């Protein structure tokens, strides 16, 4: 059987270990669909009902797995509808590859229908953005696109003209005008720096050892460093304050955490940061300046994997470029265990009072049923390894404060774009990636209305997603 250019695309995705693509191809894109079918034992095209949901699923898949998410759409309006989900991936630093169909090359410049310069339309959202004109490009641009997405935690976009996917690679006339063979790339990716230099670790330890009221502020970059975070928190006797994307970094019921910070956070977290004289930032570029201590009054150390995000939360005395878990593990032996636990105990007392206040808000006797009580019921019924995907907006207030991440639970949210329609697509993607886990979407009636068609997607693929819908048409404005 002759190899078509669509096989080059799908085969290269398989070479990268991609096993799932969320998308809505064109009616005429038989070549691409057939290429997925030919490799159906290694990769699946999950057909969705709206392109924005496909992009949100790709972002949710990346968040739930740590792997690259891939989405696919047709030309014109189909491609444009990916943008909402792709901006969610970009702003939350998630690796996503978008594949779209562009207008035919022979029709460019003739004002033919759906003639859009997609490479220009996607220029802001995509870190790597390219149009494929000849089959020989395909392996190289897929390699570069996925490599960019993984290395920088961002979006890549590749657009193809229609008909190219059904061109036979070995007989393509394009091969006569291109260099012999394919560009020398490979489907390889190596993670960034693991441990910072010893001198930087020593400086950071000196600052932490000199502090008397140390707090940790942890973001999404600390999600895979739970044990190391708790060990450092124990050594410095400091509370762990979490950004909302980092909610799952440390269990909400652990005595060392005060929960989240920001507009959806807790009062004890605010008090911990207000009272700290030393701050250890781990994997966060926390944007809410009002909740971060004055740089002139606090000494700060930042652990970050991306040099571009160093200093994103204000001035820091020491910057540590490295993996969060490995860096904390290397830092721990250099720390002197603090015997004065007063600052931590003060935060723990504050959390005890905060939890009593939450209990009052969760009163089941209130009429109508209060969303705080509803969320606590979800919390009590959810499995120990449940994945909860929350819409942003009013619903996020309740999920952030009344659903506890503990044990093996995970929490997904559109943190920086704050789209209200992410809960259902995220939950579907998480359920696809983790078929044995309980995946729950918590959504408001406004967000659910935008993506309710994706319930058909869940049914079609027999995904046992649980969806909890709150009527926020008027209630959300009063609470």
């Amino acid at each position: 059987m002759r190899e078509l250019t669509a096989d080059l695309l799908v085969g290269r995705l398989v070479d990268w270990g991609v096993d799932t693509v969320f998308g809505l191809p064109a009616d005429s894109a038989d070549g691409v669909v057939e290429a997925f079918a030919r490799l159906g034992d290694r990769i699946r095209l999950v057909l969705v009902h709206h392109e924005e949901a496909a992009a949100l699923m790709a972002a949710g898949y990346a968040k739930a797995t740590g792997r690259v998410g891939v989405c696919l759409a047709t030309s014109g309006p189909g491609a444009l509808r990916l943008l909402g989900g792709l901006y969610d991936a970009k702003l939350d630093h998630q690796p996503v590859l978008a594949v779209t169909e562009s207008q035919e090359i022979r029709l460019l410049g003739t004002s033919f229908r759906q003639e859009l310069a997609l490479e220009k339309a996607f220029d802001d959202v995509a870190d790597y953005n390219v149009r494929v004109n000849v089959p020989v490009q395909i392996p190289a641009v897929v390699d570069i696109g996925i490599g960019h997405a993984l290395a920088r935690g961002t979006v890549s976009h590749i657009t193809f003209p229609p008909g190219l996917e059904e061109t036979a690679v070995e007989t393509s006339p394009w091969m006569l005008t291109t260099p012999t063979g394919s560009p020398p790339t490979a489907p390889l990716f190596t993670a960034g720096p693991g441990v910072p230099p010893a001198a930087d670790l020593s400086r950071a330890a000196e600052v932490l050892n000199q502090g008397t009221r140390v707090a940790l502020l942890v973001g999404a970059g600390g999600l895979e460093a739970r044990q190391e975070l708790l060990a450092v928190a124990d050594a410095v006797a400091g509370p762990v304050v979490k950004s909302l994307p980092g909610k799952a970094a440390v269990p909400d019921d652990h005595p060392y955490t005060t929960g989240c910070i920001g507009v959806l956070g807790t009062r004890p977290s605010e008090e911990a940061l207000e009272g700290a004289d030393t701050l250890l930032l781990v994997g966060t570029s926390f944007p809410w300046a009002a909740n971060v201590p004055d740089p002139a009054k606090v000494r700060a150390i930042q652990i970050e994997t991306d040099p571009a995000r160093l200093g994103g939360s204000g001035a820091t005395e020491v910057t540590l470029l490295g993996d969060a878990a490995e860096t904390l593990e290397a830092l721990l032996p250099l720390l002197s265990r603090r015997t004065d636990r007063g600052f931590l105990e003060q935060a723990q007392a504050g959390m005890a009072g905060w939890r009593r206040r939450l209990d009052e808000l969760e009163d089941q006797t209130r009429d109508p049923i209060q969303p705080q009580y509803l969320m606590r019921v979800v919390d009590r019924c959810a499995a120990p390894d449940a994945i909860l995907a929350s819409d942003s907006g009013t619903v996020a207030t309740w999920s952030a404060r009344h659903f506890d991440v503990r044990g093996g639970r995970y929490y997904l949210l559109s943190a920086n774009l704050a789209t209200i329609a992410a809960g259902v697509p995220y939950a579907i993607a998480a359920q696809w990636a983790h078929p044995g886990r309980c995946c729950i979407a918590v959504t408001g009636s406004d967000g659910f209305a935008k993506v309710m068609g994706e319930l058909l997607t869940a049914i079609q693929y027999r995904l046992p997603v649980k969806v909890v819908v709150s009527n926020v048409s008027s209630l959300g404005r009063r609470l």
Side-chain angles (χ1 to χ4, degrees):
M1 181 183 294
R2 63 176 186 167
E3 183 181 32
L4 304 180
T5 54
D7 297 306
L8 277 181
L9 168 65
V10 179
R12 203 58 163 188
L13 293 175
V14 170
D15 291 342
W16 274 94
V18 174
D19 59 15
T20 303
V21 176
F22 303 95
L24 193 58
D27 295 339
S28 59
D30 294 336
V32 171
V33 175
E34 290 171 0
F36 277 103
R38 283 190 287 273
L39 291 171
D41 60 333
R42 303 175 67 185
I43 188 170
R44 289 287 302 275
L45 174 60
V46 177
L47 297 174
V48 304
H49 289 76
H50 193 283
E51 292 85 354
E52 184 177 8
L56 286 169
M57 288 179 196
Y61 183 90
K63 292 179 179 183
T65 65
R67 301 165 58 192
V68 65
V70 183
C71 57
L72 179 148
T74 183
S75 61
L80 295 178
R81 283 193 286 266
L82 291 176
L83 288 173
L86 294 180
Y87 271 108
D88 175 56
K90 175 184 178 178
L91 297 184
D92 281 357
H93 310 294
Q94 297 301 313
V96 168
L97 172 67
V99 178
T100 64
E101 183 181 71
S102 58
Q103 191 49 268
E104 292 185 48
I105 297 172
R106 62 192 174 93
L107 294 174
L108 293 178
T110 66
S111 299
F112 194 71
R113 68 184 183 91
Q114 293 190 347
E115 182 182 339
L116 302 177
L118 291 180
E119 64 273 24
K120 293 183 179 179
F122 282 69
D123 191 55
D124 181 62
V125 75
D127 184 71
Y128 178 75
N129 182 27
V130 66
R131 176 189 174 92
V132 170
N133 293 312
V134 295
V136 73
Q137 290 177 263
I138 293 173
V141 298
V142 172
D143 290 348
I144 296 169
I146 293 181
H148 269 69
L150 289 170
R152 300 181 181 179
T154 191
V155 174
S156 291
H157 170 241
I158 303 172
T159 187
F160 293 80
L164 186 65
E165 69 272 6
E166 297 184 7
T167 304
V169 173
E170 70 276 7
T171 61
S172 171
W174 296 109
M175 299 298 288
L176 301 176
T177 59
T178 56
T180 301
S182 299
T185 63
L188 300 173
F189 175 74
T190 301
V195 180
D200 291 344
L201 289 168
S202 296
R203 289 173 54 219
E206 181 180 357
V207 173
L208 291 170
N209 288 333
Q210 290 174 357
T212 59
R213 301 183 305 280
V214 180
L216 288 73
L217 177 55
V218 182
L223 288 172
E224 302 301 322
R226 175 176 294 183
Q227 298 307 317
E228 293 82 3
L229 286 166
L230 293 174
V232 169
D234 178 66
V236 301
V240 178
V241 178
K242 302 177 291 185
S243 71
L244 194 53
K247 179 176 169 66
V250 171
D252 285 317
D253 59 354
H254 197 281
Y256 285 175
T257 186
T258 54
C260 294
I261 188 66
V263 293
L264 306 182
T266 71
R267 180 57 188 162
S269 287
E270 294 181 7
E271 293 170 346
L273 293 187
E274 290 170 358
D277 64 8
T278 307
L279 187 61
L280 175 59
L281 300 118
V282 182
T284 182
S285 52
F286 186 71
W288 303 100
N291 298 112
V292 178
D294 184 348
K297 299 179 180 179
V298 68
R299 305 177 73 183
I301 302 98
Q302 183 179 14
I303 299 174
E304 181 57 70
T305 57
D306 185 353
R309 295 203 288 268
L310 291 174
S313 296
T316 55
E317 188 168 337
V318 183
T319 56
L320 300 174
L321 186 64
D323 174 78
E326 295 180 44
T327 299
L328 291 169
E329 185 178 21
L331 184 63
L332 186 60
L334 306 179
L335 299 176
S336 302
R337 191 175 192 279
R338 191 175 310 284
T339 57
D340 182 359
R341 320 295 280 184
F343 186 58
L344 176 60
E345 291 169 355
Q346 180 181 354
Q348 292 170 337
M351 276 306 293
W354 177 262
R355 290 191 176 99
R356 287 193 294 271
R357 173 58 179 151
L358 293 184
D359 289 341
E360 295 172 359
L361 294 173
E362 295 162 4
D363 182 4
Q364 62 179 309
T365 64
R366 295 172 68 188
D367 186 23
I369 295 174
Q370 299 302 292
Q372 296 93 336
Y373 170 65
L374 171 64
M375 193 59 59
R376 185 57 71 190
V377 171
V378 173
D379 171 67
R380 291 168 183 161
C381 295
D385 65 346
I387 299 174
L388 185 130
S390 175
D391 274 5
S392 292
T394 306
V395 171
T397 305
W398 307 322
S399 68
R401 292 174 174 167
H402 302 271
F403 180 87
D404 288 341
V405 171
R406 55 182 180 271
R409 287 182 176 179
Y410 209 66
Y411 181 84
L412 303 176
L413 179 88
S414 173
N416 290 295
L417 183 64
T419 176
I420 62 172
V424 171
Y426 277 9
I428 289 174
Q431 192 73 76
W432 181 272
H434 303 286
R437 297 178 69 173
C438 172
C439 296
I440 306 166
V442 175
T443 178
S445 53
D446 48 359
F448 180 69
K450 299 177 186 297
V451 293
M452 61 190 301
E454 300 312 320
L455 289 183
L456 297 174
T457 304
I459 293 170
Q460 178 180 346
Y461 292 99
R462 298 183 180 276
L463 300 174
V465 174
K466 286 73 177 172
V467 181
V468 180
V469 184
S470 295
N471 181 3
V472 298
S473 58
S474 60
L475 186 63
R477 290 190 287 270
R478 291 193 292 109
L479 293 180

